[in-house]
Amino acid sequence: MKVVISACLLGVRCRYDGGDSRNELAIKQKDTYQLIPVCPEEAGGLLTPRPPAEIVGGDGDDVLDGKAKVIDVDGTDVTAAYLKGAHHALQVVQSHSATQVILKARSPSCGCGDIYDGTFSGTLTTGDGVTTALLKRHGITVTSM
């Protein structure tokens, strides 16, 4: 079975701060599944490192509907990059016929169920990131770590 997974969970240094979110449980999945790493933010054209970003005015579904934006801590609108990266991730999932996706929790791109609230205060709110929202709209099961 093929599983698309956030590259940062596998130890790839693609987080906004230049680090990774290495997760031993995620890495152990390679013993059972074929893991296909993806970083929607880098795929969308954002550099590593980069200023942290959050969804302002809603969640990933609202971004997809044009009702919210992804803004970095410097005030730059990076919505287009997040949308591009989300569509890239969808293409990866579909081209590999992946049946499961595991993404990084709380990310404005990959968060599943809860994301930061757009105030850069560390406060969480209910919602999905942009990539997660797009994948779910296409009937793809997403979980987070």
Side-chain angles (χ1 to χ4, degrees):
M1 184 164 83
K2 296 179 182 179
V3 176
V4 172
I5 188 167
S6 289
C8 64
L9 293 172
L10 299 177
V12 176
R13 298 177 64 87
C14 57
R15 278 177 39 110
Y16 75 92
D17 60 3
D20 63 58
S21 294
R22 184 179 177 89
N23 183 300
E24 293 305 320
L25 181 60
I27 291 168
K28 285 182 182 182
Q29 299 298 313
K30 71 178 172 38
D31 296 337
T32 307
Y33 306 109
Q34 179 182 350
L35 301 180
I36 303 157
V38 65
C39 176
E41 294 172 20
E42 283 190 343
L46 296 173
L47 300 176
T48 300
R50 57 191 168 272
E54 295 186 8
I55 299 173
V56 175
D59 65 5
D61 278 308
D62 295 315
V63 172
L64 294 174
D65 294 338
K67 298 176 183 175
K69 296 182 183 239
V70 185
I71 307 293
D72 74 20
V73 72
D74 297 326
T76 303
D77 184 341
V78 290
T79 305
Y82 276 75
L83 290 169
K84 181 178 177 184
H87 285 280
H88 170 81
L90 174 62
Q91 182 180 23
V92 169
V93 171
Q94 291 175 332
S95 69
H96 287 280
S97 300
T99 56
Q100 184 178 359
V101 178
I102 303 170
L103 298 177
K104 172 66 179 86
R106 298 183 208 88
S107 157
S109 182
C110 298
C112 182
D114 60 332
I115 55 172
Y116 291 105
D117 71 354
T119 63
F120 296 94
S121 65
T123 304
L124 293 173
T125 189
T126 302
D128 292 328
V130 179
T131 298
T132 298
L134 182 64
L135 295 175
K136 285 182 173 182
R137 284 187 180 190
H138 283 84
I140 299 162
T141 300
V142 180
T143 58
S144 65
M145 290 186 157

